[in-house]
Amino acid sequence: MSESKTSQGTKNKANIIAVIGASGTGKSSFIKGELLRSYSRLLVWSPLEKSDKYGSFCQGVVVTGKISELVAQVKAGAKAIVYVPTGKDSEVKIQFDRFCRIVWELENATVLVEELSRVTMPSWSPPAWRNLSTAGRHQGLTIIGTSQRPANIDKDFLGNCTQLRCYGLNYDGDAKVMADALGLQITYEPGAGGKPVAIKPHRLLRDLPNFHFFHKNPDKTVRQGVNKSL
Ligand SMILES: Nc1ncnc2c1ncn2[C@@H]1O[C@H](COP(=O)(O)OP(=O)(O)OP(=O)(O)O)[C@@H](O)[C@H]1O
Ligand SMILES: [Mg+2]
């Protein structure tokens, strides 16, 4: 990296966004409807491309399982590239590592990784992904990662996020991880005879209806809301 890029890069603000929630709660709809409304360049890791259809969404080039073709498309300057991993888990992990290395070479790109729990674990993630989620700001990258099961993904990623959006979750383990990451507090509801009943923070996430969310903003405040209607 040149001197000017480095000095410019350290001034960039990190933009790392986690979008978490059980299947069908509204993650991809939010990403398409709000986060990907504008970008200078887009790379998508799309394991469920058949249903997610990012290729048609962004009018991008879809590359299936061939890293050499991904490299060729990046070099050719394609504005939007959707990479669909294929093969056994071990092959997908290698493809993810290569994908992250390629992304690292780009500047000012938006990178979306769908379903992180397929490629990272709580105590392990590919070094190239760690680089992206800890130092991506040096490249001016916007990094978006999704997961249905946050208890199963790389902990550093959640810790480094500048924004967290969390939809409803179906397991206590996942809800506890996210209640902690969002900094949710115990709330009180009127119970029998008007006596206040304490609601544990993770219950708030277990009880969220589809398309409802808690969102931690860059200034660490947390807001609640509902996806815009489609
Ligand atoms: N605000 C909304 N009102 C009504 N339907 C919605 C709304 N947001 C999303 N949907 C619909 O709900 C379905 C699931 O949404 P979406 O694909 O965003 O879920 P997801 O969290 O990405 O699920 P998965 O983890 O399985 O990918 C989609 O068919 C989508 O069109
Ligand atoms: Mg989705």
Side-chain angles (χ1 to χ4, degrees):
M1 196 191 294
S2 71
E3 181 63 34
S4 63
K5 280 180 192 168
T6 311
S7 52
Q8 176 63 46
T10 49
K11 287 180 198 147
N12 287 326
K13 268 184 87 182
N15 199 10
I16 304 175
I17 306 164
V19 184
I20 307 294
S23 182
T25 50
K27 301 183 296 296
S28 300
S29 307
F30 162 60
I31 290 168
K32 288 175 181 167
E34 296 185 50
L35 296 183
L36 299 185
R37 290 187 71 138
S38 77
Y39 47 81
S40 56
R41 201 154 193 209
L42 175 67
L43 260 85
V44 183
W45 172 268
S46 185
L48 301 174
E49 182 57 17
K50 267 191 189 154
S51 51
D52 278 338
K53 299 187 173 67
Y54 281 106
S56 60
F57 167 76
C58 62
Q59 304 289 300
V61 182
V62 179
V63 176
T64 304
K66 277 199 182 151
I67 289 290
S68 56
E69 199 188 328
L70 175 64
V71 172
Q73 291 295 345
V74 167
K75 282 191 179 154
K79 180 169 167 145
I81 308 172
V82 177
Y83 184 79
V84 184
T86 54
K88 292 184 287 202
D89 281 1
S90 55
E91 291 165 338
V92 167
K93 282 201 169 143
I94 293 167
Q95 290 166 39
F96 186 59
D97 184 60
R98 299 284 312 276
F99 176 90
C100 292
R101 284 166 197 261
I102 290 162
V103 166
W104 179 252
E105 297 298 322
L106 301 175
E107 290 184 8
N108 302 315
T110 296
V111 183
L112 164 62
V113 176
E114 277 278 2
E115 204 38 72
L116 277 168
S117 61
R118 291 173 177 233
V119 282
T120 75
M121 292 189 284
S123 53
W124 181 87
S125 63
W129 169 252
R130 267 204 309 277
N131 260 350
L132 286 178
S133 56
T134 55
R137 74 190 173 93
H138 292 264
Q139 305 285 95
L141 295 170
T142 293
I143 300 167
I144 305 163
T146 81
S147 182
Q148 297 175 352
R149 299 296 317 273
N152 293 350
I153 66 170
D154 157 34
K155 286 201 181 84
D156 288 341
F157 174 66
L158 289 177
N160 285 321
C161 280
T162 41
Q163 292 187 64
L164 287 175
R165 163 131 347 173
C166 186
Y167 294 90
L169 290 163
N170 294 336
Y171 298 97
D172 276 357
D174 292 324
K176 283 178 182 168
V177 164
M178 291 313 297
D180 187 35
L182 290 161
L184 299 183
Q185 306 289 322
I186 289 179
T187 52
Y188 293 89
E189 280 183 3
K195 223 177 147 196
V197 177
I199 312 287
K200 289 189 178 159
H202 72 277
R203 285 295 336 162
L204 299 172
L205 299 173
R206 290 289 309 268
D207 295 340
L208 274 180
N210 278 358
F211 320 128
H212 289 236
F213 61 80
F214 283 84
H215 190 116
K216 187 173 183 184
N217 303 307
D219 67 1
K220 305 209 186 316
T221 57
V222 176
R223 67 182 200 269
Q224 273 189 265
V226 188
N227 271 12
K228 287 177 185 155
S229 48
L230 298 173

